[in-house]
Amino acid sequence: SGLPRLATLENRIVIAATGKPILLRGVNRSGLEWAEPDEDGFCSSAGISRAEIEFIVKGWNCNILRLPLNQDWALNGRGGHSADVYLQDLDRVVRWASRVGAYTLLDLQWLNADRPFGGNRNFVAPLPNLQSLDFWHLLASRYRDEPAVLYDVFNEPHDRLPDDPHPLIREDGSLYPPTHRRVTTAEWHPWALRLIDVIRSTHPDALVFVSGVNWGYDLRGMPLERANLVYSTHVYRNKGSNWAEAFGDLAAIAPVFAGEWGGRGEDLNWGVSLANYFGALGIGWTAWSWSNEPYLVRRFTPTEFGDIVLEQLRRTLVS
């Protein structure tokens, strides 16, 4: 791609060769986790095209694109299309983004599209499973020579929902008791370390992003005992305003990134305050979402919240 390899230095993401800090800011482009493939594959059904990616990167001044993925489709394919078709579509997005100057953050968002974890068809699992190791070994091997690819090991660790029928899985593959519902750092961190290690086993220089508990929000208990990590929070209005405790204090000693943040028309003042907080601490981010509720755009026209995100991105252009 020609993009420089990234690493971490103290509490910043930097260009590995020079140590120069880089602030990554962009959007989530969801779809490849949930859009059933059509006759032309996965990008086609998700509405992802080269023209759209170029518009996101150049029109919105993004230097990173977070791409939520489906573990099962990457390993087994879907709807008559092989896993290789899915992976070739990932290649396309990485190539489209990198050619216009943006990194792609691969995000393990859904384990599959057939097994909801309670709620109103909630497909975001509380913890990974053993196939998640295969997923990351596959992708880290595929992209180990591509500096434009970054790795977000698991979307949103969280407590089991009240009607989630599936027991939690330990990092060794054994099951917690059926009554065990909490996902704290005790349950999540051993998994995080195992996922990091499987990526690094084939791609030692990979820049890896690790979310917190409480649906990604809470980064207390970080950093982990691994080098070259970025700690990723997911911030929405329903999480309250204890930003310093959840992730801001950590940003003084380790690289912190907001993998998701977003809102609707009633969240505008909150969104401006949060964006300013990120800016004051040098926290990069990818706003949610170009193509999923709460939306940043509708038919390429920014929503009210999308206007906030776009203004923040364009400030980078003139600063």
Side-chain angles (χ1 to χ4, degrees):
S1 70
L3 290 178
R5 185 172 69 84
L6 302 181
T8 64
L9 180 64
E10 298 176 341
N11 67 336
R12 290 287 182 261
I13 299 172
V14 300
I15 296 172
T18 65
K20 180 181 178 181
I22 179 171
L23 183 64
L24 297 175
R25 301 205 299 187
V27 301
N28 283 265
R29 202 330 179 164
S30 52
L32 290 179
E33 76 274 37
W34 53 261
E36 296 284 345
D38 61 22
E39 62 182 8
D40 294 318
F42 296 87
C43 277
S44 173
S45 61
I48 301 174
S49 67
R50 181 173 65 182
E52 182 198 54
I53 297 301
E54 289 182 355
F55 180 79
I56 290 172
V57 175
K58 298 172 73 174
W60 277 50
N61 195 39
C62 299
N63 61 2
I64 185 170
L65 184 74
R66 186 171 182 260
L67 196 65
L69 302 179
N70 186 307
Q71 173 179 292
D72 178 54
W73 297 358
L75 294 173
N76 302 306
R78 182 75 168 186
H81 295 283
S82 69
D84 196 50
V85 172
Y86 190 79
L87 297 173
Q88 288 174 14
D89 275 354
L90 296 191
D91 292 346
R92 290 189 182 96
V93 179
V94 170
R95 183 167 61 250
W96 293 336
S98 64
R99 283 180 175 175
V100 287
Y103 293 86
T104 299
L105 178 58
L106 303 180
D107 156 46
L108 177 48
Q109 183 92 357
W110 286 17
L111 300 184
N112 59 58
D114 299 310
R115 188 185 185 196
F117 295 89
N120 183 18
R121 292 182 60 77
N122 164 53
F123 287 94
V124 179
L127 286 173
N129 59 25
L130 289 183
Q131 287 70 50
S132 305
L133 303 172
D134 299 330
F135 172 86
W136 281 123
H137 187 270
L138 172 70
L139 293 184
S141 299
R142 189 177 188 90
Y143 296 117
R144 62 188 162 198
D145 296 321
E146 179 47 82
V149 173
L150 315 175
Y151 304 84
D152 192 339
V153 292
F154 188 71
N155 181 47
E156 291 178 339
H158 61 272
D159 295 348
R160 284 172 62 200
L161 298 179
D163 59 343
D164 181 355
H166 309 296
L168 298 172
I169 303 172
R170 294 185 178 90
E171 74 282 358
D172 63 3
S174 63
L175 300 180
Y176 284 95
T179 56
H180 191 109
R181 294 193 167 272
R182 293 294 310 281
V183 172
T184 67
T185 56
E187 290 80 14
W188 167 229
H189 285 188
W191 258 121
L193 291 171
R194 189 157 189 209
L195 295 172
I196 294 162
D197 289 346
V198 77
I199 292 172
R200 295 273 172 77
S201 69
T202 188
H203 188 349
D205 295 327
L207 187 63
V208 177
F209 291 60
V210 184
S211 294
V213 295
N214 188 12
W215 299 87
Y217 175 63
D218 189 350
L219 293 176
R220 289 176 297 175
M222 303 293 188
L224 299 174
E225 293 183 357
R226 296 291 187 275
N228 215 28
L229 298 181
V230 179
Y231 300 95
S232 181
T233 182
H234 293 188
V235 193
Y236 293 99
R237 191 176 178 183
N238 65 345
K239 294 303 180 187
S241 58
N242 60 333
W243 299 336
E245 183 179 352
F247 61 88
D249 290 344
L250 179 65
I253 61 170
V256 170
F257 183 85
E260 294 185 17
W261 67 286
R264 301 171 178 84
E266 63 269 24
D267 303 316
L268 301 183
N269 291 335
W270 171 88
V272 171
S273 295
L274 179 61
N276 290 338
Y277 187 76
F278 290 152
L281 297 183
I283 293 175
W285 43 260
T286 42
W288 186 276
S289 168
W290 190 261
S291 54
N292 250 67
E293 181 68 28
Y295 289 91
L296 299 176
V297 296
R298 294 185 185 277
R299 297 185 179 180
F300 285 75
T301 299
T303 62
E304 289 183 291
F305 203 95
D307 277 329
I308 293 173
V309 173
L310 181 55
E311 180 185 0
Q312 292 290 323
L313 290 167
R314 286 181 171 169
R315 283 182 185 179
T316 308
L317 187 65
V318 298
S319 61

